[in-house]
Amino acid sequence: MAASNQKTILVTGGAGFIGSHTVVELLQQDYNVVIVDDLSNSSPIAIDRIRQIVGSQRADNLVFYQINVLNAEALGKVFEDHDIFAIIHFAGFKAVGESTQKPLEYYWNNVTGLMTTANVARAHGVKRIIFSSSATVYGEPAFIPITEDCPMAKTTNPYGETKAMCERILTDLFRADDEYSVVLLRYFNPIGAHESGLIGEDPAGIPNNLLPYVSQVAVGKLKEIHVFGNDYPTPDGTGVRDYIHVVDLARGHVAALRWLEGTVGTGTVEDAASLVGPTDEEGLRHGVAVFNLGTGTGTSVLQIIHAFEEACGHELPYVIDPRRPGDIAENYAACDKARTEMGWVAEYDIKRMCEDSWRWQSQNPNGFEG
Ligand code: WQD
């Protein structure tokens, strides 16, 4: 580690899609970063690419351990060897459809993984956790645009349940001990890639999500896009979502750190899910702060396809299939709170998201494995 005067952030799952982009932003803000990742759903090449993006000097501030967060002993050694200021917890399985087939694996890996991480952290006096949550916790939202006041609903899958459970666990940790500082970041639909084209989304097998599927059709790996339903009550009948550039999302995590550090916002986070805690003598904030990370704009499946055609320069074949079970018609964020309280707003539009996604996919037709 070179920058000893800077805070050290532990990023679990830091070799993954959102994790790797967040690590780049943290290093570029001169934080020290420790990545813990078991590489079960990511590649060690992503770590090399992070170093390539940030340059050798900042790469010295990055350490990587191939560890599963369920391995409490190995994780404890990381806390012994590094003075961790805060944890950003991404580690977890994230395929909605797969979670309905493998509920035990998802509850074990995602919920026990979080609890193990929090337990080991507490044993080393670390009580600042930024958690990778999801708009899935809103289930079929009571209203849109969705604010942080929108009630958490029964989610439609075990993956979503694990996110809701982890939010409740972290909230109860603060209720029992006001030394905890928790930020729950509810992502909408992360897409895109770093502008260098060196890192991006690299799903294993056939992609479940729209964007990686579209980009693999564009690069010729898959034959045609399957549009899951065009009879929804939306402008063009296809599903509408709030797509957010993964780099905007990554910067939202840096903003969350700044919020914990007390250097942005007023600390007032009145909403149904947040709990305001004390600010300590160092000005550091405690409590539970919930933020939606989205753009506030809904985009349909057909709009995504047309935007990607512009980005890749050729038409993309698609067929209309029946609706996918569990899908909702429309979902997009109200993200005023992140703007006013964290000073964070998504900058990039759909055009830029598709251009950056295409650059990554065309330069890496088979993802990190070349
Ligand atoms: C988007 C739209 C589909 C694939 C999920 C998780 C959520 C978050 C993001 C983790 C929908 C349509 C999709 C395809 C299609 N993940 N679609 N053809 O379902 O909004 O959200 O991923 O946090 O938690 O729930 O994303 O990309 O699967 O679907 O027509 O091949 O694209 O019907 O309207 P989703 P998605």
Side-chain angles (χ1 to χ4, degrees), residues 94-116:
K94 62 172 186 175
V96 167
E98 182 186 57
S99 77
T100 61
Q101 310 301 317
K102 299 179 174 178
L104 182 56
E105 287 77 6
Y106 269 71
Y107 285 115
W108 183 258
N109 189 60
N110 291 8
V111 182
T112 313
L114 171 82
M115 291 195 291
T116 306

Side-chain angles (χ1 to χ4, degrees), residues 18 94 96 133-136 157 159 163 187-190 207-213 225-229 232 238-241 243 301 324 327-329 331:
I18 302 167
K94 62 172 186 175
V96 167
S133 191
S134 166
T136 308
N157 56 80
Y159 161 78
K163 291 300 184 182
Y187 309 157
F188 281 72
N189 288 57
N208 296 294
N209 294 139
L210 178 65
L211 230 291
Y213 201 104
I225 301 158
H226 294 263
V227 177
F228 298 150
Y232 283 105
T238 63
V240 170
R241 296 290 184 274
Y243 297 96
V301 176
R324 177 173 64 178
D327 273 353
I328 58 177
N331 174 336

Side-chain angles (χ1 to χ4, degrees), residues 140-341:
E140 177 86 42
F143 49 80
I144 50 174
I146 300 173
T147 67
E148 290 82 355
D149 274 315
C150 188
M152 290 170 77
K154 173 88 182 73
T155 64
T156 56
N157 56 80
Y159 161 78
E161 279 303 292
T162 69
K163 291 300 184 182
M165 286 178 183
C166 289
E167 286 201 7
R168 291 192 183 99
I169 289 165
L170 291 168
T171 301
D172 284 344
L173 291 185
F174 169 71
R175 284 199 175 106
D177 173 357
D178 69 3
E179 286 185 8
Y180 273 92
S181 303
V182 172
V183 180
L184 305 174
L185 298 177
R186 293 174 177 169
Y187 309 157
F188 281 72
N189 288 57
I191 64 171
H194 189 268
E195 61 185 357
S196 63
L198 290 170
I199 55 176
E201 192 166 9
D202 184 18
I206 303 295
N208 296 294
N209 294 139
L210 178 65
L211 230 291
Y213 201 104
V214 168
S215 66
Q216 289 193 20
V217 168
V219 82
K221 283 190 72 177
L222 293 170
K223 176 170 172 278
E224 61 194 1
I225 301 158
H226 294 263
V227 177
F228 298 150
N230 67 348
D231 58 349
Y232 283 105
T234 60
D236 65 17
T238 63
V240 170
R241 296 290 184 274
D242 186 334
Y243 297 96
I244 175 171
H245 196 295
V246 64
V247 171
D248 275 328
L249 194 65
R251 291 171 180 161
H253 291 73
V254 177
L257 263 179
R258 301 275 196 254
W259 188 86
L260 290 183
E261 292 167 340
T263 55
V264 293
T266 62
T268 53
V269 278
E270 269 93 31
D271 60 56
S274 298
L275 299 171
V276 178
T279 297
D280 64 28
E281 61 283 351
E282 293 170 71
L284 300 177
R285 291 203 181 106
H286 301 264
V288 179
V290 179
F291 295 103
N292 286 339
L293 295 187
T295 67
T297 303
T299 304
S300 76
V301 176
L302 291 179
Q303 286 174 313
I304 286 287
I305 293 173
H306 298 325
F308 213 93
E309 288 175 331
E310 290 297 311
C312 70
H314 58 266
E315 274 196 43
L316 298 175
Y318 66 86
V319 292
I320 304 292
D321 279 7
R323 294 182 179 188
R324 177 173 64 178
D327 273 353
I328 58 177
E330 201 166 11
N331 174 336
Y332 55 91
C335 19
D336 307 291
K337 189 175 159 205
R339 177 173 44 76
T340 55
E341 185 53 25

